[in-house]
Amino acid sequence: MRAVCITNPGGPDVLKVMEREIPQPGPHEVLIQVAAAGVNRPDVSQRKGNYPAPPGSPADIPGLEVSGTIVAVGENVKLWEIGDQVCALLAGGGYAEYAVAPEEQCLIIPEGVSLQEAASLPETFFTVWNNVFDIGKFSKGERVLVHGGSSGIGVAAIQMVKALGGSVFVTAGSEEKCSFCRELGADLAINYRETNFEKAIVQHTQGKGVDIVLDMVGAAYTEANINLLAPGGRFIIINAMKGRMGSVDLIQVMKKRLTLTGSTLRPQTPAYKGLIAKALMSKIWPFFPDEIRPYIYQTFPLDEAATAHDLMEQSHHMGKILLEIPFKT
Ligand SMILES: NC(=O)c1ccc[n+]([C@@H]2O[C@H](COP(=O)([O-])OP(=O)(O)OC[C@H]3O[C@@H](n4cnc5c(N)ncnc54)[C@H](OP(=O)(O)O)[C@@H]3O)[C@@H](O)[C@H]2O)c1
C-alpha cells in the first residue's frame, strides 16, 4: 500500500509517500480501506519528533483518524462486519491506503455526513468528550471558555457544548475566525490579538466568569484562566503551545475550589476509548446533521500531506484539514 512516512524529524518536506505492507488486523481489530484521513496538530508535533507514537502503533506513519470501509476483521471482532463503513480513532498509521483499528474505536458514520467528511470527526470529538464531558463533568447551563475556537478541537467543542445546553465563549486569532465561531454557535468570540479576553468575559458575564476552561495555549493564558474560573470551576489542559510553565495563584485555587486537570488521548487503552465511542454515538451522533456537522477547510490528495501540514502550521485554516484517498476498484 501507499503510506505517508516521516522520513526524519523535521519540516513538512520530511513527509514522503512510500510503499509499505498492508497491516494485518489483530484478533480484536478491523482493517479499513481508507477513504480519508484527518490531519491534526498532534501529527505536526509527531513529525517534528516531539510526540512519538505509543508502542504497538506505526512509528513513522502519522494519522490519528480515518474513515473508510472495513475489508477484513480479526477472529474475535463482534461489532463490525466486512463492508461496514466507519470512521475510527487510531493511535497512528492513518495517512495510508489501509489502517487497522481496535473494533471499539470505530464509529458509525453520522447521519448526513459523507464517508470522506467523517474522517474529520474522531480525534477532536473523542478529545472534547473525554475532557469537557467526562473529566470536566460539564452539566447543562454551564459556561465554557474554549481557546483556539476555530481549531479542529474548537469546532467540535463549540457544537457539542451548545447541543448539550451550555454557553460557549471562544478566543481566536482574527475577526474572520471569530465570525466563523459565532456562526457555529459561540455566544462570544474574542479576537485575542485586539481584545483582552479576560476583561471581555468578565464584562459579558457580569463578573461571574466560566465553569470550564478548555486550554491548548498554556503558560501565557494560565493566570487569566484561573482568574476567570467561577467557584467549583475546572481548568482542563490539552496542550501548552505557548509555554508549559504557567504561574498558578494557589490561594484562588483553594478559595474557589478549582480543579486543575487535563489529559492526552492517544496513549489511553482501547477499552477507555471504547467508552468514549459509545458515549459519542448515543449522546452526540443524534445531533447530526441539523445541530452538529463537520467543517472541512481543505482536502488534499494523500501525496500532498506535506502541503496539508504546511497549511496547518500557517494556522489560517478554520475547522479541519483532510487527506483523501480515491477509491480503487
Ligand atoms: N490532549 C489531547 O488529547 C489532544 C488531542 C488532540 C488535540 N490536542 C491539542 O489541541 C490543539 C488543537 O488541535 P487541532 O488539531 O484542532 O489544531 P488546529 O486546528 O491546528 O488548531 C490549533 C489552534 O491553535 C492556535 N495556535 C496555533 N499556533 C499557536 C501558537 N503557537 N500559540 C498559540 N495558539 C496557537 C490557532 O488559533 P489562532 O490562529 O486563532 O491563534 C489554531 O486554531 C493542539 O494544541 C493539539 O495538540 C490535544
Side-chain angles (χ1 to χ4, degrees):
M1 67 171 185
R2 292 186 315 130
V4 173
C5 299
I6 303 169
T7 50
N8 274 303
D13 58 346
V14 303
L15 297 174
K16 305 273 187 227
V17 175
M18 302 179 97
E19 278 297 320
R20 286 293 167 91
E21 291 295 315
I22 295 176
Q24 296 304 305
H28 295 279
E29 291 178 332
V30 301
L31 177 67
I32 299 168
Q33 181 174 21
V34 176
V39 176
N40 292 280
R41 190 64 68 148
D43 308 344
V44 172
S45 301
Q46 181 178 354
R47 194 203 69 222
K48 290 178 174 170
N50 301 329
Y51 194 45
S57 61
D60 63 345
I61 307 175
L64 300 172
E65 58 187 356
V66 295
S67 59
T69 306
I70 293 178
V71 291
V73 294
E75 63 207 41
N76 295 331
V77 167
K78 297 197 171 59
L79 302 173
W80 307 103
E81 291 176 357
I82 290 173
D84 285 344
Q85 293 197 321
V86 293
C87 55
L89 181 75
L90 312 177
Y95 291 11
E97 289 179 322
Y98 294 88
V100 289
E103 63 169 333
E104 307 95 308
Q105 293 174 210
C106 298
L107 303 99
I108 57 170
I109 308 295
E111 195 184 329
V113 175
S114 74
L115 184 60
Q116 276 78 8
E117 287 172 331
S120 72
L121 302 174
E123 175 66 11
T124 52
F125 279 70
F126 274 73
T127 300
V128 172
W129 185 269
N130 187 32
N131 287 286
V132 175
F133 296 88
D134 282 341
I135 297 170
K137 299 185 173 58
F138 166 86
S139 60
K140 195 172 174 178
E142 287 195 314
R143 294 181 296 271
V144 182
L145 168 59
V146 178
H147 293 299
S150 63
S151 66
I153 291 282
V155 165
I158 293 168
Q159 297 189 90
M160 288 162 81
V161 170
K162 288 307 291 180
L164 293 184
S167 304
V168 195
F169 312 145
V170 302
T171 60
S174 70
E175 196 40 52
E176 191 189 7
K177 287 181 173 183
C178 287
S179 305
F180 170 71
C181 294
R182 286 184 207 107
E183 278 164 32
L184 288 178
D187 298 278
L188 180 68
I190 305 152
N191 178 355
Y192 65 84
R193 294 184 204 277
E194 290 183 354
T195 302
N196 177 307
F197 74 84
E198 185 183 343
K199 282 189 188 153
I201 291 172
V202 167
Q203 191 180 20
H204 184 82
T205 61
Q206 283 122 30
K208 294 194 196 80
V210 298
D211 303 292
I212 294 177
V213 175
L214 182 66
D215 186 34
M216 59 181 75
V217 176
Y221 283 7
T222 306
E223 210 178 318
N225 287 336
I226 296 276
N227 291 343
L228 280 171
L229 279 163
R234 287 84 77 200
F235 180 4
I236 303 168
I237 299 147
I238 59 166
N239 201 354
M241 288 190 288
K242 281 193 179 152
R244 60 187 294 171
M245 302 301 284
S247 168
V248 174
D249 177 347
L250 299 173
I251 299 295
Q252 283 210 65
V253 174
M254 189 171 67
K255 279 187 166 172
K256 294 198 281 189
R257 292 171 288 104
L258 303 181
T259 301
L260 273 59
T261 183
S263 70
T264 53
L265 178 65
R266 195 180 191 187
Q268 307 310 322
T269 62
Y272 183 97
K273 293 170 181 170
L275 292 176
I276 303 173
K278 275 190 190 154
L280 285 173
M281 284 193 285
S282 68
K283 301 206 164 72
I284 295 296
W285 264 213
F287 289 104
F288 282 89
D290 296 333
E291 287 173 68
I292 300 185
R293 48 190 196 89
Y295 284 83
I296 314 298
Y297 184 74
Q298 201 166 339
T299 302
F300 296 88
L302 184 68
D303 54 11
E304 290 180 26
T307 313
H309 272 220
D310 196 37
L311 173 67
M312 177 160 272
E313 285 184 88
Q314 287 175 32
S315 248
H316 297 313
H317 65 287
M318 293 177 281
K320 297 281 305 203
I321 299 169
L322 289 186
L323 301 175
E324 196 176 29
I325 301 162
F327 183 71
K328 276 196 284 188
T329 47

